Amino acid sequence: MAKVVWSSKFAFVLAAAGAAVGLGNIWRFPYIAGEHGGGAFVLIYIACVIILGIPLIMSETLIGRRGSANPATAFQNLAKEFKCSKFWWLAGALQIIAGFLILSYYVVVTGWVVDFFFHAIFHTFQKISIEKTDALFNNLLESPIQMLFWATLLIIACVFIVARGIHQGLEKTVYFMFPALLVLMVVLLIYACKAGSFEQGFQFLFHPDFSAIHANTILLALGQAFFSLSIACGALIMYGKYVTQDTSIAKTSLIIAATDTIVALIAGLAIFPIVFANGLAPSAGPSLIFKNLPVAFGQMPFGDFFAGLFFLMLIFAAFTSAIALLEPTVVWCMESLNMSRVKATTACGFVLWLLSLCSIFSFNLASHIKFFGMNLFELLDHVTSNILLPIGALFIAIFIGWRMPKKISADEFGYSTKNVLYQSWLFIMRFVAPIAIIVIFLSAFGWI
Ligand code: TRP
């Protein structure tokens, strides 16, 4: 069978940037940045992206291209090539599992976004009060049927796209959705500048308040950077498999990380001016975009229309991430269980649907089931973000830094082993990344 590769380097960059840009950029980043020192947090975040994010994206793409398979088999192939422990495939398997678990709640949250998109279209937000949006959101969480409906629809859409393969499915989707997402974002930014309190939003997000920086802030910035760049979920290794030999991994990694970061910053600049113009507080949690933002839009000229555009933008962002989260599991089924793409995608879609029930019911029917004080939805988020992702990234760094021969990694990047950029990358993989990740991990559990 001929090797499947991206139609162009541009297609790879779009797909990987589409995977990176998601709910994490548009909702989570602006809020966390605002609450943790604004500009000072942004600086630390950018440092994390440059120092750890870009080198890790390079490593994942490299593992995918050289290992030429799904993440588990890619690790296995490379371990064989470098004659190291045959257990390394577990590092890849862990990432596949992490991505699939993230997807099981990601589709549920995306379902909320779709629900709110329709509210915006049907003019529910005009002059709406915070009590009403509160009720709207809570009613949604209390209705398993409604949530299940949206999640099912989204899973079917993902299955449909991924089943069509890289060229007909993934590429065609990102070619349309990613540029559309960027256009919508610019439109919203202009709207926010014209109709919102741009000054105040800008100040909130970029004024560096160094006194708000604590040790915890650095860890938050690092965790946010991993999640936002889609590191350690198997997606980048998977997409790396389809990268051609003449693609400069350093260059594409830089573009992917820069796009993701710029989108996060623009999202903040579009959201906060709208929130501030309407005298609302940039409050915590999922409530910012589902409760406060609709109230803000409802008080502004053409608010419903722009609220609709906002939620549509989020749907595009989340959807291109969701298909990237599904692809590794599907390809694992194809390669390890010998299934056809259509069969593998359908089977994964079904398992995903069952798993998504855990998140859906955790807000209503099963809300009494708690583990360590968390419901199932929170548990999934916690286990993936705070446990599986750091461990996955740690394995990548150790494998690439200590197990892959220098000559091979340097060759793959097109550098000599003496090159300063290569040396810095290797130093980061060997020392900086493992130490930083272990520190986050321990502190997340309050051990240091
Ligand atoms: N980066 C995505 C976001 O910002 C979330 C995500 C985490 C993801 N890991 C992933 C997306 C792997 C695709 C693949 O919302």
Side-chain angles (χ1 to χ4, degrees), residues 12 50-65 231 236-237 240 248-254 256-257 396 400 404 409 412-415 421-422 424-426 428-429:
F12 164 60
I50 295 172
I51 298 170
L52 292 174
I54 297 171
L56 277 165
I57 297 179
M58 288 169 67
S59 302
E60 286 207 34
T61 317
L62 170 57
I63 294 175
R65 185 167 78 179
I231 286 168
L236 290 165
I237 297 187
S248 157
I249 292 183
K251 223 188 262 169
T252 51
S253 301
L254 182 69
I256 294 162
I396 293 171
I400 281 280
M404 182 178 273
S409 46
E412 285 281 348
F413 292 144
Y415 291 142
L421 283 178
Y422 176 78
S424 328
W425 170 83
L426 190 67
I428 289 169
M429 283 302 118

Side-chain angles (χ1 to χ4, degrees), residues 56-214:
L56 277 165
I57 297 179
M58 288 169 67
S59 302
E60 286 207 34
T61 317
L62 170 57
I63 294 175
R65 185 167 78 179
R66 181 102 189 169
S68 192
N70 70 78
T73 317
F75 264 99
Q76 190 178 30
N77 292 345
L78 293 180
K80 211 186 269 167
E81 184 184 345
F82 311 145
K83 303 201 174 33
C84 42
S85 164
K86 60 176 193 287
F87 291 109
W88 273 107
W89 69 270
L90 284 168
L94 185 86
Q95 295 193 32
I96 299 181
I97 293 169
F100 201 68
L101 291 180
I102 290 180
L103 183 56
S104 78
Y105 68 80
Y106 209 83
V107 286
V108 176
V109 179
T110 311
W112 301 344
V113 177
V114 178
D115 193 83
F116 272 67
F117 168 68
F118 283 103
H119 281 312
I121 293 208
F122 294 118
H123 299 278
T124 325
F125 294 155
Q126 264 175 17
K127 302 271 174 284
I128 200 167
S129 63
I130 190 88
E131 290 76 27
K132 287 235 178 74
T133 51
D134 209 52
L136 216 55
F137 189 57
N138 291 339
N139 284 346
L140 175 63
L141 294 189
E142 277 158 24
S143 162
I145 302 289
Q146 208 173 334
M147 276 204 274
L148 190 60
F149 175 74
W150 293 125
T152 308
L153 219 64
L154 284 162
I155 292 173
I156 293 174
C158 278
V159 165
F160 182 74
I161 299 297
V162 175
R164 289 169 64 96
I166 295 299
H167 301 300
Q168 292 304 314
L170 285 163
E171 281 188 4
K172 284 212 166 132
T173 308
V174 292
Y175 268 133
F176 160 68
M177 282 194 183
F178 199 72
L181 152 84
L182 294 184
V183 171
L184 287 177
M185 186 158 255
V186 172
V187 170
L188 280 162
L189 182 65
I190 296 170
Y191 177 71
C193 295
K194 292 240 179 284
S197 309
F198 189 74
E199 275 277 326
Q200 216 181 339
F202 190 88
Q203 279 283 326
F204 180 63
L205 195 59
F206 288 114
H207 180 71
D209 173 10
F210 287 99
S211 68
I213 296 286
H214 306 288

Side-chain angles (χ1 to χ4, degrees), residues 19-25 102 106 226-231 233 235 260 320-322 324-325 389:
V21 173
L23 298 170
N25 302 60
I102 290 180
Y106 209 83
F226 280 6
F227 185 82
S228 187
L229 295 171
S230 305
I231 286 168
C233 298
D260 188 68
T320 49
S321 294
L325 283 162
L389 296 197

Side-chain angles (χ1 to χ4, degrees), residues 346-397:
T346 316
C348 291
F350 182 65
V351 178
L352 179 64
W353 185 81
L354 287 178
L355 262 179
S356 74
L357 296 178
C358 295
S359 295
I360 291 172
F361 292 153
S362 70
F363 292 103
N364 34 69
L365 304 178
S367 58
H368 56 284
I369 302 179
K370 301 254 187 221
F371 301 87
F372 310 106
M374 290 176 276
N375 67 24
L376 274 165
F377 176 87
E378 289 159 348
L379 184 77
L380 274 169
D381 183 29
H382 176 74
V383 169
T384 48
S385 307
N386 298 336
I387 303 177
L388 299 184
L389 296 197
I391 296 181
L394 182 65
F395 281 145
I396 293 171

